[in-house]
Amino acid sequence: EVQLVESGGGLVQPGGSLRLSCAASGFTFSSNDMHWVRQATGKGPEWVSGIGTAGDTYYIASVKGRFTISRENGRNSLYLQMNSLRAGDTAVYYCARASVGFDYWGQGTLVTVSS
Amino acid sequence: SYELTQPLSVSVALGQTARITCGGNNIGSKSVHWYQQKPGQAPVLVIYSDSNRPSGIPERFSGSNSGNSATLTISGAQAGDEADYYCQVWDSSWVFGGGTTLTVL
C-alpha cells in the first residue's frame, strides 16, 4: 500500500525557516517524480514545487529562491526547505506522488507563519 | 500564466447527472486531471488524462476534453459524491482550477 506521511509543520515567525519531510512507502520511491502542493484554508490547491527522478527541480514563481525541494532515495524521503517565510505561505502542505496526475497524496502538515 | 475557470458550485438531484466544467485557452490540447476533495481530507485523483479512471474510482465518474473546455461528469450522483472538485493541467507549471463545490440534493 502506497503511503506518504508528511511532518515538520508548525508555527513560525515571518522571516523564519522550516523543513518539511515526507516519508514514502509501498512503492519504488526513486521511480516517481514527487511534488509539494499547498492549500490555504478555504482555497484550492496550489502546486509549490516538484522534483524529477533525475533530481531536476521546479518551483512556482512565488517561492523561487526561498524554497528548496530535495529527495533522498535511499531513505525514501522528500523534503522541502522553506526559508524567508511569509504570512502568505500559511497553508496545509501536502506531498504527492506523480504518475499520471498526482495519484497519491499524504495527509498534509500545517504551516502557520505568524508573529 | 495559464488560468483554469470552474463554476463555484453545481447542484444535482440524487441519482441524476452532474457536469462540472473546466475552462482554459485551448485546454483540449492539454491533458486534464480531476480531483475530489472532501472536508478535512487530501485530494483524490478521480480522472486522469482527460477521461481515464484510476483503480477504485466508480464507473459513474467520466471525463471529456475538447476545445476550450473539459468536463467531469458524474452519472447517478450519490450523496457521498458531495465534495469539492478541482481540474489540473500542466502549462510550464502545474495549475489547478479554483474548484467547484458539488451539492447533491
Side-chain angles (χ1 to χ4, degrees), chain B residues 60-73:
Chain B
R60 63 178 180 275
F61 288 87
S62 62
S64 63
N65 185 19
S66 178
N68 292 316
S69 185
T71 301
L72 172 69
T73 301

Side-chain angles (χ1 to χ4, degrees), chain A:
Chain A
E1 178 193 5
V2 172
Q3 283 197 317
L4 299 170
V5 180
E6 301 94 338
S7 60
L11 174 63
V12 61
Q13 291 188 340
S17 298
L18 277 178
R19 189 193 195 209
L20 305 184
S21 299
C22 172
S25 60
F27 66 103
T28 304
F29 180 73
S30 59
S31 297
N32 288 85
D33 294 356
M34 296 295 297
H35 298 269
W36 289 99
V37 179
R38 67 186 178 186
Q39 188 170 27
T41 301
K43 304 292 187 182
E46 178 183 46
W47 175 79
V48 174
S49 180
I51 186 166
T53 56
D56 43 317
T57 59
Y58 309 87
Y59 301 93
I60 194 172
S62 61
V63 308
K64 274 184 186 175
R66 299 190 298 125
F67 290 10
T68 302
I69 190 172
S70 61
R71 65 191 302 162
E72 196 169 353
N73 290 337
R75 291 181 179 267
N76 292 336
S77 292
L78 176 72
Y79 306 102
L80 186 67
Q81 177 67 43
M82 304 187 296
N83 299 330
S84 302
L85 283 161
R86 307 166 180 168
D89 296 318
T90 294
V92 173
Y93 284 72
Y94 296 99
C95 69
R97 186 183 88 161
S99 174
V100 191
F102 294 0
D103 61 347
Y104 286 94
W105 299 58
Q107 84 290 348
T109 187
L110 177 62
V111 172
T112 303
V113 184
S114 175
S115 54

